[in-house]
Amino acid sequence: MTNFYSFHGTVTAISDFNPGYNQGCSKLFTLENELGSIVNFVVTPSTYFVDHEIVLVGDRVTGYFDGDLPAILIYPPQYQALVMVKDQPDQFTKVDHFDNQLVSSDGELKLNLSPYTQIVLTNGQLLSKYPGNRDLIVQYGPTTRSIPAQTTPYRIIVLCLTSQ
């Protein structure tokens, strides 16, 4: 179970990271939010970009990282990006651990599956098992006003991280 933390903002810079080794394979994305806070994300070939979107300077994105990993004490803070999500109109995305009842670890969202809910792995292949008790990327639209909010997701992407 990964303890996902996120930061949402506008990409202000993209540069090569660690240029001496595997030149061009890793990038440093600098994000700034509406309050002026800045975060750097190290983006590697293992970082999952939802819909394999190409992210450019000026795009609004959310970067997700493992909040339990140690972070170096520098400013701006720098985290290893696990998942990057480019903003899409009229669509929400939640990256979190969902229990066997498909309730997120923060208790804010419950998933109701339908026959039309697409459940896939990060490589695009269909999941052959129940998606509960896993780290998931959930793309959804409207929710109920209940606690937890409930939704029927458009798509669920299962993160089979090495820690699982």
Side-chain angles (χ1 to χ4, degrees):
M1 177 175 141
T2 305
N3 189 14
F4 289 99
Y5 282 57
S6 67
F7 185 84
H8 181 262
T10 302
V11 178
T12 58
I14 300 173
S15 59
D16 284 340
F17 182 76
N18 200 8
Y21 177 74
N22 279 341
Q23 285 187 318
C25 289
S26 295
K27 302 288 183 186
L28 191 67
F29 281 40
T30 302
L31 275 61
E32 183 174 348
N33 69 10
E34 299 82 17
L35 302 173
S37 297
I38 297 172
V39 166
N40 285 328
F41 281 106
V42 176
V43 175
T44 67
S46 64
T47 302
Y48 183 75
F49 281 77
V50 173
D51 294 329
H52 302 286
E53 291 270 4
I54 294 175
V55 174
L56 303 171
V57 171
D59 289 339
R60 307 240 339 123
V61 299
T62 303
Y64 292 87
F65 59 97
D66 187 342
D68 291 336
L69 291 180
I72 56 176
L73 295 175
I74 60 170
Y75 183 82
Q78 181 174 297
Y79 304 110
Q80 172 73 40
L82 297 175
V83 177
M84 296 293 283
V85 181
K86 189 173 175 179
D87 283 7
Q88 298 294 333
D90 302 322
Q91 181 171 288
F92 303 100
T93 301
K94 185 170 187 78
V95 179
D96 204 348
H97 183 83
F98 286 79
D99 67 14
N100 237 5
Q101 303 300 311
L102 297 178
V103 175
S104 62
S105 68
D106 61 9
E108 292 184 6
L109 187 65
K110 179 177 182 351
L111 308 179
N112 298 316
L113 301 181
S114 86
Y116 303 105
T117 302
Q118 186 183 47
I119 305 172
V120 297
L121 302 170
T122 54
N123 63 10
Q125 300 306 302
L126 296 175
L127 178 71
S128 60
K129 305 286 184 189
Y130 181 71
N133 205 29
R134 298 173 187 263
D135 293 336
L136 306 175
I137 302 170
V138 179
Q139 295 177 302
Y140 62 98
T143 63
T144 63
R145 294 186 183 263
S146 60
I147 298 175
Q150 296 187 40
T151 189
T152 303
Y154 306 137
R155 180 167 63 156
I156 296 173
I157 302 165
V158 179
L159 291 170
C160 296
L161 301 174
T162 55
S163 62
Q164 292 183 342

